[in-house]
Amino acid sequence: MVLYTPGSTTNYDSSPVEKGKLRYHFLGGGEEVGNVGCILEDSSGTRLQIDYGFVPKKPPTYPEEGPPVSDVILTHSHIDHVGLAPWVVASHGAKLHCTELTAAVLEMIWRDTYKVSSIEGQPLPWDKRDLEEALDQIVTHSFDEWVDHGEWKWRFLPAGHIPGAAMVEIQFGDRNLLWSGDIDTRSSPCVIGAKAIQSDILFLESTYAGRNQPDRESEIQRFINRVVEVVERGGTCLIPSFANGRGQDMLSHLWESNLDLDVHYDGMGKRILNHYLDHPDYIRDSEKFRKIKRWARLVSSKSDRKKAIDADVIVTTSGMLDGGPAHWYLNRLRHDQRNAILLTGYQAEGSGGRQILDSSRLKIFGKLVDINLEVDQFSFSNHADHSLLVKFAKDVDASEVILFHGNQDDGQELLKKELESEEMVVHQPDNCRSYII
Ligand SMILES: [Zn+2]
């Protein structure tokens, strides 16, 4: 199904930009989490797009159609940042720039997205031919490598968040800007945290504006204690985790605990772990993850899956219990109350995990069933929280800050006020509108 008719629906203002100014226009992700896509252009006529993703909800949500661009920078391989990139290639013949690891994972994400949308009959504005074309248009770059683009030059810098994730520094005219992408300034088992650089303008993600997260070490301890409790009573812990970063983090926490645990790993995260290991420069400790890969039992067949039912721990997708092997396991584990579900992060409105938390029920394979198991929720986010965002912005020392990838709610207001008290001018852009800075 074609959702977009190229050139007919964008609100992008293509008129020349005044000398010395920069225009930015969020196609999506300006006033929301996800759907990220932004066009940047200055008076030299140099134009770039950063990210183009959608949110795979039911039904999915999409950003606005973009104007013609020759180049798109993809910050990292999460679907809400890259899911629509094949459309830009098909419509405008754009090149896609990302890190090597992002490129490897991207291909999996796109193929999986295509498969899921075909099975579920969800509309997707690109087809298989566009996907193949998009793969041919990818150009990879290492961190710190300067790339010329029109009158500008730009480079990737490590963003923390997930392996391969990048921030983008762009030098234009006599100014520079820093695009945070999704960032975490804390190090995780998979990646080293992002470091600030001085910039005139900062585009700052604000997923966790107004919210702080628990201390990571004590959260890991609380998680491990819970696992021990469940295993000691003869139960199995089901640990739903995102495939890209979170699952591998969880395996690392379990491995680091030095407990004698029988841990099984299922879902798309196994293949992503292989990509991490094929690109060791992008992960914090590849040797450790090689050991973890040998230590965990990787589920690769139906009989493996049956064996996993008696494991101490099953780490698998999907992270919000919206499907994936987690449903298959839960359908069997739900009959024994010694078992437990340990959620590893935020459960969005409308997700399976949210449904279980609210009503102890879940739709599995088309049937609404009772889930009378203990459910515990942990906060293992890979985004910088409120206080870390403030610290990061102060370190960047920008005079102008544009908040995006967040909800324009009280939390973002709080972040805005705090940054304003540090003499920064703070913007909260709407989607589908052009701004001059
Ligand atoms: Zn992300």
Side-chain angles (χ1 to χ4, degrees), residues 75-81 161-162 165 181-183 382-383 405:
T75 57
H76 66 288
S77 53
H78 278 151
I79 194 162
D80 57 333
H81 294 256
H161 191 51
I162 59 167
D182 286 1
I183 50 162
N382 296 98
H383 287 269
H405 200 278

Side-chain angles (χ1 to χ4, degrees), residues 25 35 64 77 199 212 223 246 292 294 299 395 419 422:
H25 178 114
N35 288 325
E64 179 196 13
S77 53
S199 273
N212 280 324
F223 167 73
R246 184 71 49 79
I292 288 173
R294 285 196 294 272
V299 176
D395 290 346
L419 298 181
E422 300 289 336

Side-chain angles (χ1 to χ4, degrees), residues 251 263-267 269-271 273-274 292-301 304-305 329:
L251 287 179
V263 176
H264 293 234
Y265 189 36
D266 199 353
K270 291 176 299 177
R271 281 189 291 149
L273 175 57
N274 286 337
I292 288 173
K293 194 186 158 188
R294 285 196 294 272
W295 167 77
R297 288 165 195 252
L298 306 184
V299 176
S300 54
S301 65
D304 283 358
R305 206 166 265 185
Y329 289 112

